[in-house]
Amino acid sequence: MDEKARTLTAEKTAAGFRAADMVENDMVIGLGTGSTVFYMIERLSARIRDGLRVSGIPTSYQTAIRAREYGIPLTTLDDCPVIDLAIDGADEVDPHLNLIKGRGAAHTREKCVAAAAFRFIVVVDEQKVVPRLSAPVPVEVIPFAVRPVMNQLREFGCLPKIREGVKKDGPVITDNGNFIIDCSFTEIPNPANLETTIARIPGVVESGLFCGFTEKTTVIVGNEKDCRIITSTDIVP
Ligand code: 5RP
């Protein structure tokens, strides 16, 4: 592993471990998706072995498989429609705690679980904290409507591209059986407006813009030595 990869791993581990340490007995927690959440699962698993009682709601098949491997008891939004805490990664975080998520195509379930939670803990490395959101915005869309949705997205000024599978020919199929369109915008001046505008297109399931959770969000930014915490009280109006 080179120096850069080592630093990144240390940052993700620090953030994931800190989030797992915030979990308390008898909590129901949302288990996000991705590599940073993986470290959280690892640490949570160790705490469960030490006697912690929790159950988790996984946001993807990947997380469900890992959580089972790591001995984390699972439940569902059907059984627990209101939950204590959701812990998840992000691809970008801006100074207003707006997020872009969905690199792993799991953002629809991740948004449902974040919405159901009293608190939303976002675990990231330093590279994810940006002055302005600018990453491509993933949009989950039902396959039936992919052409008209792409045309609409183009009208909003983006370059839409259907996400292609790796080790699978053709489009990525999400855990919900849909396609992902990655939308590159030259700029995103108002992420909340864009989230609402995209959500109104018939055929769109969810975008990876997360702008409605800032009040209940705590961002844990891992660094090589420790973590720094950002909450809504740190937002400069
Ligand atoms: C999956 C996600 C992930 O949480 C996000 O991509 C961050 O992943 P990682 O921690 O691996 O960088 O939104 O859909």
Side-chain angles (χ1 to χ4, degrees):
M1 204 191 281
D2 66 18
E3 194 52 37
K4 210 171 154 198
R6 225 188 319 273
T7 303
L8 194 61
T9 303
E11 291 179 359
K12 285 176 187 239
T13 308
F17 277 28
R18 174 69 72 91
D21 287 343
M22 292 165 94
V23 175
E24 294 167 18
N25 254 338
D26 299 319
M27 278 185 166
V28 177
I29 53 172
L31 304 172
T33 297
S35 56
T36 318
V37 164
F38 173 74
Y39 295 108
M40 190 279 292
I41 288 176
E42 202 178 73
R43 171 84 179 155
L44 195 62
S45 166
R47 291 195 61 205
I48 288 170
R49 283 197 303 276
D50 287 344
L52 181 75
R53 293 183 311 270
V54 286
S55 48
I57 299 182
T59 53
S60 62
Y61 290 133
Q62 181 196 54
T63 296
I65 291 165
R66 279 185 179 162
R68 279 198 193 94
E69 276 171 11
Y70 279 76
I72 297 172
L74 297 182
T75 183
T76 63
L77 277 183
D78 281 336
D79 288 326
C80 301
V82 180
I83 67 176
D84 297 290
L85 199 64
I87 302 175
D88 207 342
D91 304 311
E92 283 188 341
V93 181
D94 80 3
H96 299 277
L97 307 190
N98 297 311
L99 314 177
I100 291 181
K101 290 183 46 53
R103 178 206 47 78
H107 58 274
T108 296
R109 293 187 190 202
E110 291 171 335
K111 204 181 274 191
C112 295
V113 167
F118 282 114
R119 290 183 64 198
F120 184 34
I121 297 186
V122 178
V123 286
V124 291
D125 52 80
E126 287 286 354
Q127 288 80 342
K128 308 277 187 68
V129 183
V130 296
R132 272 178 168 265
L133 299 181
S134 66
V137 177
V139 177
E140 180 162 356
V141 53
I142 62 168
F144 178 76
V146 70
R147 284 290 295 278
V149 169
M150 282 180 86
N151 289 344
Q152 286 258 318
L153 288 166
R154 249 180 235 110
E155 282 178 24
F156 300 153
C158 80
L159 204 67
K161 198 168 181 300
I162 297 175
R163 192 181 295 183
E164 295 284 320
V166 177
K167 291 193 181 175
K168 185 253 176 209
D169 293 339
V172 163
I173 308 294
T174 69
D175 291 0
N176 311 307
N178 297 313
F179 290 179
I180 295 290
I181 302 173
D182 288 309
C183 302
S184 301
F185 291 88
T186 42
E187 55 172 1
I188 305 178
N190 189 328
N193 269 1
L194 184 61
E195 182 180 10
T196 310
T197 305
I198 293 174
R200 280 201 209 107
I201 306 173
V204 164
V205 182
E206 272 302 342
S207 81
L209 284 162
F210 283 47
C211 303
F213 303 129
T214 52
E215 283 301 313
K216 63 180 178 185
T217 296
T218 298
V219 179
I220 303 179
V221 189
N223 57 54
E224 269 193 286
K225 296 203 179 91
D226 196 11
C227 295
R228 62 189 174 97
I229 308 282
I230 314 172
T231 67
S232 57
T233 57
D234 299 308
I235 296 176
V236 180

